Amino acid sequence: MLEVAAAVETAIPSTIDLRKKAVQFTLQKKQLTNVVARVGIVLDITGSMQPLYRNGTVQEVVERILAVATQFDDNKTLDVWVYDTEFSRLPSVTERELGRYVETHIMNNSHIHKFGRNNEPPVMEDVIRKYTEEESESDTPVFIVFINDGGVVKPIKKVITSSSVLPIFWQFVGIGQSDFEVLKKLDTMEGRVVDNANFFHLDAIERVSDEELYDKLLNEFPLWLKEAKNKRIIR
């Protein structure tokens, strides 16, 4: 009887497996199945985000974006940053390390500055540094998911503009009830070689289905890929 129960249990797909299938469906729909890209996530860890770290929402967000990374990245790896007034580049995550990633590497990590105010440019500069100075394949596309629950500082515009010549696409996701005044103007930002950033807002990311989330996440990335190839920013 125990053997039967164990067999049934192993036959039940895990949430990450179900999410990978949802990503695959979205990639097929958007004709992205042959794309190879590095994937990273930047997590707001300012004071107002504290409940989402404690109730498991951020852990779930990491899993949902890891599912994207498994389909784009040859190493099936998601790179991770957190930031408030300071930032930390954390160990990359794979399915093997996913389990209690947020609790282990963020909440129980005394070296991380947590729950202060926000300052986006330093962490963005570190993202740029990693993929353009430290990585050997510096022309591989990079898809960055940037989670933010409040207004960003205005100097973020300069970083986005200057990085428009680089193989990095910034997908900002606003969560909560802030007005996101700066991020709403990304599509009309002038002075860029290509449109390298997009923004959408979700009141409660934990209530959005995987299918809807992946559709929104990957809505403008294909357009950027085409433009960036035409400008020879990516191969």
Side-chain angles (χ1 to χ4, degrees):
M1 199 71 174
L2 289 175
E3 291 180 359
V4 173
V8 171
E9 184 176 348
T10 56
I12 299 174
S14 66
T15 55
I16 186 69
D17 288 333
L18 293 173
R19 284 171 168 151
K20 287 192 290 186
K21 290 181 179 179
V23 175
Q24 289 171 358
F25 175 78
T26 304
L27 296 182
Q28 291 170 358
K29 184 170 66 171
K30 297 183 181 294
Q31 299 183 335
L32 292 170
T33 52
N34 295 320
V35 171
V36 175
R38 301 296 306 276
V39 183
I41 186 169
V42 180
L43 295 164
D44 182 340
I45 196 167
T46 55
S48 53
M49 285 285 293
Q50 190 166 170
L52 300 184
Y53 278 89
R54 299 198 181 281
N55 69 13
T57 297
V58 174
Q59 173 70 31
E60 185 176 22
V61 168
V62 171
E63 179 176 313
R64 296 172 91 172
I65 307 307
L66 175 60
V68 177
T70 64
Q71 305 308 303
F72 276 149
D73 191 305
D74 288 339
N75 296 323
K76 302 184 184 304
T77 298
L78 175 65
D79 299 321
V80 184
W81 285 261
V82 294
Y83 81 97
D84 55 6
T85 49
E86 301 178 17
F87 73 87
S88 295
R89 190 195 300 186
L90 302 181
S92 300
V93 59
T94 65
E95 289 182 61
R96 178 174 293 182
E97 294 87 25
L98 177 61
R100 298 168 66 86
Y101 183 88
V102 168
E103 183 177 348
T104 301
H105 293 285
I106 301 177
M107 297 303 287
N108 292 337
N109 187 342
S110 61
H111 298 290
I112 291 177
H113 196 273
K114 305 179 185 73
F115 310 132
R117 301 176 70 178
N118 64 299
N119 185 25
E120 289 76 22
V123 69
M124 295 177 72
E125 294 289 358
D126 193 61
V127 170
I128 292 168
R129 184 160 46 248
K130 173 177 172 60
Y131 295 116
T132 64
E133 298 178 18
E134 299 174 14
E135 300 285 337
S136 57
E137 297 182 5
S138 58
D139 58 349
T140 299
V142 179
F143 181 63
I144 296 295
V145 179
F146 202 111
I147 305 294
N148 172 268
D149 84 331
V152 299
V153 297
K154 289 185 178 180
I156 194 176
K157 295 180 179 180
K158 183 177 180 180
V159 182
I160 293 172
T161 301
S162 63
S163 66
S164 67
V165 298
L166 302 175
I168 299 173
F169 182 78
W170 306 93
Q171 178 58 67
F172 291 90
V173 182
I175 59 177
Q177 303 301 318
S178 293
D179 58 16
F180 303 102
E181 178 183 0
V182 174
L183 293 176
K184 286 178 180 177
K185 298 177 181 178
L186 286 181
D187 285 338
T188 58
M189 190 183 298
E190 298 180 351
R192 291 179 290 171
V193 175
V194 296
D195 182 353
N196 61 335
N198 184 46
F199 168 74
F200 64 87
H201 172 232
L202 301 170
D203 285 335
I205 193 169
E206 66 274 16
R207 298 178 190 167
V208 176
S209 69
D210 290 332
E211 291 76 12
E212 181 181 353
L213 178 63
Y214 296 140
D215 190 70
K216 289 179 178 292
L217 278 175
L218 298 169
N219 188 44
E220 288 204 16
F221 187 50
L223 302 177
W224 174 81
L225 286 171
K226 184 177 181 180
E227 284 188 56
K229 284 181 180 178
N230 288 340
K231 297 287 186 179
R232 298 185 179 180
I233 294 171
I234 60 174
R235 52 191 166 94

